[in-house]
């Protein structure tokens, strides 16, 4: 018999492994990649060893939910990119753009004129056309992995629409930097935005997205910028200091019908649990009078005190408390993985957050080995 009934369902597939970047660049210099397959494996293993969780496989959902959010050109590019590299017989095993269409290039030209510029045909030009930055190399298995990350998000959504109070999608690659017509920041499709759109379409309710990754979710903000029915709330490092640099400021509140449905909360350098949780409480006040029964969480652990991103300073105990406060909102939760790169702590941080969200005590990781727990069928409560 399970120690906890109901268990929190964790949607996971190992199909993410084909997206296995080895290097990214830091100021142009090659450095070891942060967003690696071990991340998802570590979180999966930590949750599989805890009887509060049950791992389930995703189901395929096809292209339609992706096209409800993304430009068909982005989908086509990601599908065609690796085969195009192969046709060119370039001696390399990854694809990264080095030329991007940035704002100064089009200065003074009308929006309609700029929108009518044609997509290049060369693969280097196409990669820049659909990309934000050089931190997300395309590998042979990237497209398949990115498609499965969307299916993980949509299966998680189905579970919650089917009556689960909360479910967690172990999405990899992550999604929140991907805009309607742009990949970037380790992201290809915006898993959380696709989930939110699917919820709106199926329920007709308003949906809120809470983004607690250390980076501003510029893609999610862009996708719902003019939408009143999807509220985007993000806590993140000040973009003056940290990627994505060009969006994430507090005056970005949405436009048109979406005015007021976008809220950014940049944090000060090395903000700790207390500072973060105080800002979280402020941010969640915006949710109080917002209709809708489901909250999508873009969950990142790159706010961790020892994360290589190195901007904020949260602890494992802080994650449990953050999860607890989000769970206590009384909304059903579609929780989707975004960033988090400290491999040694990722498992415990995910476990702490999710146990908090499920109203469970923070487990004492050292108390009983996983094998013993399975035999005894119970988890010691502190
Ligand atoms: C989903 C997500 O967390 N995306 C983050 C994308 C960040 N892209 C640039 C990161 C550069 C960090 N390189 C590590 C160097 C640490 N000093
Ligand atoms: Zn991040």
């Amino acid at each position: 018999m399970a120690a906890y009934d109901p268990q929190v369902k964790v949607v996971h597939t190992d199909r993410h492994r084909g997206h296995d970047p080895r290097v990214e660049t830091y100021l142009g210099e090659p450095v070891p990649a942060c967003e690696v397959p071990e991340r998802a494996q570590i979180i999966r293993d930590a949750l599989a060893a805890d009887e509060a969780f049950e791992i389930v496989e995703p189901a395929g959902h096809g292209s339609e939910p992706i096209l409800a959010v993304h430009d068909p050109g982005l989908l086509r590019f990601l599908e065609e990119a690796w085969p195009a590299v192969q046709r060119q017989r370039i001696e390399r095993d990854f694809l990264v753009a080095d030329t991007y269409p940035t704002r100064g290039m089009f200065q003074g030209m009308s929006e309609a004129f700029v929108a009518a510029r044609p997509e290049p045909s060369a693969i280097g030009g196409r990669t820049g056309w659909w990309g934000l930055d050089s931190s997300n190399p395309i590998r042979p298995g990237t497209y398949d992995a990115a498609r499965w990350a969307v299916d993980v998000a949509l299966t998680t959504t189905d579970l919650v629409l089917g009556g689960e109070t909360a479910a967690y999608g172990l999405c990899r690659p992550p999604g929140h930097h991907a805009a309607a017509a742009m990949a970037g920041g380790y992201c290809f499709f915006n898993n959380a935005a696709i989930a939110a759109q699917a919820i709106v379409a199926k329920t007709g309710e308003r949906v809120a997205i809470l983004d607690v990754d250390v980076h501003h979710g510029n893609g999610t903000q862009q996708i719902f910028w003019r939408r009143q029915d999807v509220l985007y709330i993000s806590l993140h490092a000040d973009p003056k200091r940290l990627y994505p640099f060009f969006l994430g400021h507090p005056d970005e509140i949405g436009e048109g019908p979406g005015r007021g449905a976008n809220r950014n909360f940049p944090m000060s350098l090395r903000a700790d649990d207390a500072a973060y949780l105080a800002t979280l409480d402020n941010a969640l006040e915006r949710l109080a009078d917002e209709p809708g029964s489901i909250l999508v969480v873009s969950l990142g652990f790159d706010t961790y005190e020892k994360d290589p991103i190195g901007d904020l300073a949260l602890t494992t105990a802080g994650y449990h408390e953050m999860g607890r406060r989000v769970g206590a909102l009384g909304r059903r939760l579609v929780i989707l993985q975004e960033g988090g790169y400290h491999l040694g702590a990722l498992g415990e941080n995910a476990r702490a957050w999710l146990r908090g969200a499920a109203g469970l005590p923070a487990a004492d990781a050292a108390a009983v080995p996983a094998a013993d727990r399975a035999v005894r069928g119970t988890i010691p409560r502190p």
Side-chain angles (χ1 to χ4, degrees):
M1 195 190 106
Y4 294 107
D5 193 23
Q7 294 168 299
V8 176
K9 291 197 168 58
V10 172
V11 185
H12 168 269
T13 168
D14 62 13
R15 301 290 293 267
H16 68 88
R17 284 185 198 157
H19 177 57
D20 54 350
R22 305 293 157 79
V23 292
E24 58 183 70
T25 54
Y26 179 66
L27 300 178
E29 191 177 357
V31 295
C34 278
E35 205 292 285
V36 292
E38 290 74 17
R39 296 179 58 245
Q41 193 61 44
I42 286 164
I43 295 176
R44 196 214 83 97
D45 289 350
L47 300 179
D50 183 334
E51 290 189 351
F53 303 98
E54 179 191 352
I55 316 274
V56 301
E57 287 280 323
H61 286 70
S63 299
E64 204 175 307
I66 298 178
L67 294 172
V69 160
H70 286 289
D71 188 317
L74 177 67
L75 179 68
R76 195 180 319 119
F77 163 70
L78 292 171
E79 189 177 8
E80 292 174 357
W82 194 255
V85 170
Q86 285 178 307
R87 278 197 303 278
Q88 293 205 3
R89 299 174 186 280
I90 314 171
E91 278 298 312
R92 58 165 56 237
D93 59 8
F94 64 90
L95 171 65
V96 173
D98 41 32
T99 310
Y100 300 92
T102 61
R103 53 198 276 282
M105 191 173 193
F106 304 100
Q107 198 172 355
M109 304 175 199
S110 72
E111 198 178 329
F113 180 83
V114 172
R117 296 309 85 213
E119 180 179 353
S121 56
I123 190 60
R126 292 185 75 191
T127 309
W129 181 260
W130 297 109
L132 168 63
D133 63 86
S134 61
S135 73
N136 55 338
I138 293 177
R139 300 268 287 138
T142 296
Y143 176 67
D144 190 55
R147 287 293 303 248
W148 277 105
V150 171
D151 289 323
V152 165
L154 289 168
T155 302
T156 309
T157 300
D158 291 342
L159 288 168
V160 170
L161 291 175
E164 298 284 340
T165 308
Y168 168 66
L170 216 181
C171 296
R172 184 186 173 272
H176 73 153
H177 297 303
M182 185 187 78
Y186 313 148
C187 305
F188 299 91
F189 298 118
N190 194 315
N191 307 310
I194 294 166
Q197 173 60 35
I199 296 164
V200 168
K202 282 184 187 149
T203 65
E205 279 189 14
R206 289 202 196 181
V207 178
I209 302 173
L210 173 68
D211 189 330
V212 294
D213 186 279
V214 80
H215 302 98
H216 175 245
N218 59 282
T220 314
Q221 169 170 302
Q222 183 277 323
I223 287 165
F224 299 116
W225 184 247
R226 290 178 180 275
R227 296 263 301 262
Q228 184 179 39
D229 53 347
V230 180
L231 168 64
Y232 179 67
I233 303 175
S234 180
L235 276 68
H236 46 264
D238 193 324
K240 287 174 183 155
R241 284 194 308 271
L242 196 74
Y243 183 95
F245 297 122
F246 316 120
L247 287 172
H249 303 289
D251 66 342
E252 296 160 20
I253 60 168
E255 291 183 88
R259 188 177 163 83
N262 194 95
R263 300 295 297 272
N264 288 325
F265 295 85
M267 305 287 307
S268 27
L269 186 65
R270 301 305 288 171
D272 61 7
D273 291 337
Y276 193 94
L277 291 166
T279 305
L280 179 74
D281 287 345
N282 268 338
L284 293 178
E285 274 177 28
R286 174 63 182 82
L287 255 187
D289 33 47
E290 184 73 6
S293 63
I294 300 179
L295 177 67
V296 176
V297 181
S298 269
L299 180 58
F301 298 111
D302 39 13
T303 47
Y304 184 53
E305 55 179 350
K306 295 175 192 153
D307 194 279
I309 297 297
D311 198 285
L312 301 189
L314 273 59
T315 69
T316 305
Y319 291 125
H320 183 264
E321 178 59 16
M322 197 200 313
R324 194 192 67 73
R325 291 189 193 189
V326 173
L329 294 169
R331 295 186 184 231
R332 290 183 289 158
L333 303 179
V334 174
I335 307 160
L336 303 175
Q337 190 61 47
E338 301 283 358
Y341 309 101
H342 188 283
L343 299 182
L346 261 184
E348 284 314 307
N349 287 346
R351 186 171 170 227
W353 202 102
L354 294 169
R355 287 182 65 97
L360 299 171
D364 179 357
V368 186
D372 288 358
R373 282 206 302 271
V375 170
R376 291 165 35 161
T378 181
I379 297 174
R381 287 162 188 271

